[in-house]
Amino acid sequence: MVPFLKEQFTQAGKFSMFIGRFFKEIVLPPFQFNEFIRQCFAIGYKSLPLVSITGFIMGLVLTIQSRPTMTKFGAESWLPSMVSLSLIREIAPVVTALICAGKIASGIGAELGSMKVTSQIDAMEVSAINPYKYLVVTRILAATLMVPILVIFADVVGVFGGYIGYNVHGTIGLQRYFSEVIEHLDFLDLLPATIKTFFFGFFIGTIGCYKGFNASGGTASVGLAANSAVVTASLSIFIVDMLAVQITDLFF
Amino acid sequence: METQPIIAIKNLWKSFGKNKVLRGINLTVDKGESLVILGRSGSGKSVTIECLVGLLEADKGKLEVFGTDITKLDYKALNRIRLRIGFLFQGGALYDSMSVRENLAFTLKHHTAHLSEIEIEKQILEALDSVGLQEAIDKMPSELSGGMVKRIGLARTLIIKPEIILYDEPTAGLDTITAKEISELILSVQKKYKTTSLIITHDINCAKMTGNRIMIIKDGVIHAQGSYDELMNSPDDWVRSFFV
């Protein structure tokens, strides 16, 4: 039990130092702007199809599944606002972040893990290029900025999916549907939900980089790093979400 | 007049957990010299050169490169020394998401902001010409053979015009003919760029071809040293066993 706890505290300490180094390196020049843009493209743009499909299905399914209950209570007209609120406040941020944990954290973990075990990171180090700044800072920053954008995109596509879902059994015009949605949306529905997505992105990027950067022991560790990155990032999303809900509840 | 050695390792100790890999290594390399370190797998050859460029932190001892003890340097100062040292990794360590051109340009662009694209291209071609692989410029590392990866790795090292080149098992995993070609390439690079070389290998042919002096590591210390012929005729059976 004692060695297990010791190992857990050691890992927690190392992870904290890894995060601390990010905040130190991010303010020190040189800035790897080109690599940052490349990572934004890889993390953001290349995730759009996956996020679009997921967002659309979330809205569509949520509407179709909620409709019978809402009809039973005579609240069918509340369906657009109920679906959009559920999507924007909770479902779209968490599900999109989980999708990103699967795609981005595993991708970063595997890529950096592979670079680590094939000495590519060491090659950067001996070439006097700071691999942490070039590989880690750019990826964490890109994930932190791109995940919120992907979530907002998933929100919009999800609401549209809800419109399609509504029209499976009923009829409503696009303009009226969106009017219903916007009418019941408050600024305070959007703000906390958006703020927490920055934390989701930060942890997805950080955990992916940490697992990859610390891979050791050959090719098996690359798979392990990718797998561990997904599991830890997914868990961290739920923990951050729980904390965000508590904080939102406290202040708003 | 006696000149200062370009590399001087004094009483170097390094452990991994309870495993004491290096137990007081002492060696010097003079400017222009080519020193080969021989030893069995796990004897600490690679650990020695990884300590020399700061990839591993020494537990104890002095690591003087160009007269400066690198164990006492901060990150920036260490990087200034690193730019004067080339390191050829065992597996080549080419960046596999980049083409050969990008691999070579990467280091150059990071450290020479004043160079134009034309000048960078010229230097890339010159480095590739030195290893005889200009035609591979647009290839990806996955399209290269083992020997080509080593050559491109060497070209990437040469592009920063290092004064010292550290070779980690340059012929490992290659067939006899390609291994001989790599050894010849090391010789030609030494001649053309007037570099000092520290070569880690257990390929005796490579050691014979490339080394002015050979050291043999055993149990974390330098067990024997001398020229190829001296060691081959050593009274020590264990030393002679390398040359059989």
Side-chain angles (χ1 to χ4, degrees):
Chain A
M1 189 66 185
V2 174
F4 173 77
L5 282 175
K6 197 177 166 190
E7 174 60 22
Q8 297 310 307
F9 280 117
T10 308
Q11 284 300 323
K14 280 183 182 172
F15 185 62
S16 305
M17 283 174 72
F18 192 80
I19 292 178
R21 193 175 170 193
F22 167 78
F23 288 109
K24 184 186 151 201
E25 299 277 7
I26 198 171
V27 292
L28 296 173
F31 304 107
Q32 306 290 348
F33 190 71
N34 289 344
E35 178 62 9
F36 167 67
I37 296 294
R38 207 175 71 82
Q39 288 307 320
C40 285
F41 178 79
I43 290 172
Y45 181 75
K46 288 194 171 176
S47 302
L48 273 179
L50 192 62
V51 168
S52 307
I53 294 167
T54 318
F56 181 80
I57 293 172
M58 278 190 296
L60 183 87
V61 169
L62 191 62
T63 307
I64 293 172
Q65 294 277 39
S66 308
R67 189 186 192 98
T69 314
M70 298 293 275
T71 309
K72 199 186 284 179
F73 288 104
E76 199 183 341
S77 60
W78 285 82
L79 203 52
S81 52
M82 193 279 290
V83 168
S84 59
L85 273 175
S86 310
L87 274 175
I88 290 167
R89 286 186 74 128
E90 188 61 30
I91 300 173
V94 171
V95 173
T96 307
L98 287 174
I99 296 283
C100 290
K103 185 179 181 292
I104 299 166
S106 68
I108 293 174
E111 187 187 10
L112 296 195
S114 159
M115 287 184 78
K116 178 79 179 178
V117 300
T118 54
S119 305
Q120 292 175 52
I121 292 179
D122 286 346
M124 251 179 223
E125 191 81 69
V126 298
S127 304
I129 296 165
N130 184 344
Y132 191 95
K133 193 177 267 294
Y134 185 80
L135 299 170
V136 176
V137 172
T138 52
R139 279 164 177 77
I140 296 178
L141 204 57
T144 309
L145 293 178
M146 287 300 112
V147 170
I149 293 172
L150 288 170
V151 169
I152 291 168
F153 188 74
D155 287 343
V156 175
V157 177
V159 171
F160 182 72
Y163 164 74
I164 302 289
Y166 194 98
N167 279 288
V168 172
H169 293 293
T171 314
I172 190 169
L174 186 66
Q175 196 179 352
R176 189 171 151 221
Y177 182 85
F178 273 90
S179 300
E180 288 271 333
V181 169
I182 292 164
E183 196 181 320
H184 292 93
L185 266 184
D186 198 342
F187 182 66
L188 291 178
D189 294 321
L190 292 169
L191 188 68
T194 307
I195 290 173
K196 72 179 175 188
T197 58
F198 283 97
F199 289 93
F200 290 163
F202 176 76
F203 279 101
I204 288 168
T206 308
I207 291 166
C209 289
Y210 177 74
K211 295 291 180 184
F213 215 70
N214 289 294
S216 60
T219 46
S221 64
V222 178
L224 204 64
N227 183 272
S228 176
V230 177
V231 174
T232 317
S234 303
L235 188 65
S236 77
I237 287 163
F238 286 113
I239 294 170
V240 170
D241 190 49
M242 185 189 71
L243 292 173
V245 168
Q246 299 294 324
I247 293 166
T248 308
D249 195 42
L250 209 64
F251 289 103
F252 304 108
Chain B
M1 195 179 78
E2 199 174 299
T3 53
Q4 195 183 22
I6 201 162
I7 297 172
I9 298 178
K10 295 171 185 169
N11 193 29
L12 174 63
W13 286 73
K14 178 69 190 170
S15 309
F16 296 96
K18 286 178 181 171
N19 182 21
K20 286 179 183 167
V21 179
L22 302 180
R23 299 158 183 254
I25 291 273
N26 289 290
L27 67 85
T28 56
V29 185
D30 292 328
K31 192 170 170 39
E33 194 185 10
S34 177
L35 175 71
V36 171
I37 300 182
L38 281 176
R40 294 175 63 178
S41 299
S43 59
K45 307 185 296 289
S46 297
V47 173
T48 307
I49 58 168
E50 284 179 17
C51 286
L52 207 54
V53 285
L55 280 178
L56 291 173
E57 206 175 319
D59 296 340
K60 204 166 83 176
K62 271 188 170 184
L63 289 156
E64 290 179 359
V65 184
F66 305 114
T68 309
D69 185 359
I70 66 143
T71 59
K72 294 192 166 48
L73 297 179
D74 62 17
Y75 192 68
K76 271 190 177 175
L78 177 63
N79 275 347
R80 279 196 292 274
I81 297 275
R82 279 170 169 169
L83 278 175
R84 298 169 70 186
I85 306 172
F87 195 117
L88 180 63
F89 286 85
Q90 190 172 342
L94 298 181
Y95 309 124
D96 51 18
S97 60
M98 300 180 193
S99 68
V100 168
R101 177 187 272 111
E102 289 164 339
N103 259 282
L104 268 70
F106 185 65
T107 313
L108 213 52
K109 282 182 177 173
H110 265 83
H111 298 297
T112 49
H114 62 281
L115 284 183
S116 66
E117 288 293 326
I118 297 166
E119 184 61 29
I120 288 172
E121 184 73 5
K122 198 178 138 196
Q123 293 200 24
I124 291 170
L125 289 171
E126 188 190 325
L128 285 175
D129 185 47
S130 300
V131 298
L133 272 179
Q134 272 201 3
E135 73 280 4
I137 191 162
D138 289 316
K139 288 192 171 165
M140 295 300 285
S142 57
E143 298 172 276
L144 304 172
S145 67
M148 286 165 93
V149 166
K150 301 254 171 148
R151 281 167 181 265
I152 301 294
L154 186 54
R156 188 179 65 182
T157 301
L158 291 173
I159 206 156
I160 57 164
K161 309 256 184 320
E163 293 160 60
I164 300 170
I165 302 183
L166 310 175
Y167 299 86
D168 189 5
E169 304 276 9
T171 58
L174 302 177
D175 63 86
T176 323
I177 296 166
T178 314
K180 190 172 172 243
E181 283 172 3
I182 295 290
S183 300
E184 284 167 353
L185 185 61
I186 292 171
L187 277 177
S188 88
V189 162
Q190 279 169 1
K191 212 171 173 183
K192 185 175 173 184
Y193 291 88
K194 297 187 173 39
T195 55
T196 303
S197 304
L198 183 51
I199 302 158
I200 301 296
T201 187
H202 49 230
D203 175 358
I204 202 68
N205 292 322
C206 173
K208 185 182 179 183
M209 281 178 75
T210 57
N212 306 131
R213 192 157 55 101
I214 298 173
M215 280 184 171
I216 301 178
I217 291 188
K218 186 186 179 189
D219 298 331
V221 290
I222 302 293
H223 180 75
Q225 60 176 305
S227 68
Y228 180 87
D229 291 332
E230 283 166 356
L231 292 174
M232 197 171 69
N233 299 312
S234 163
D236 187 333
D237 289 344
W238 189 82
V239 170
R240 275 203 319 279
S241 69
F242 278 91
F243 300 85
V244 175

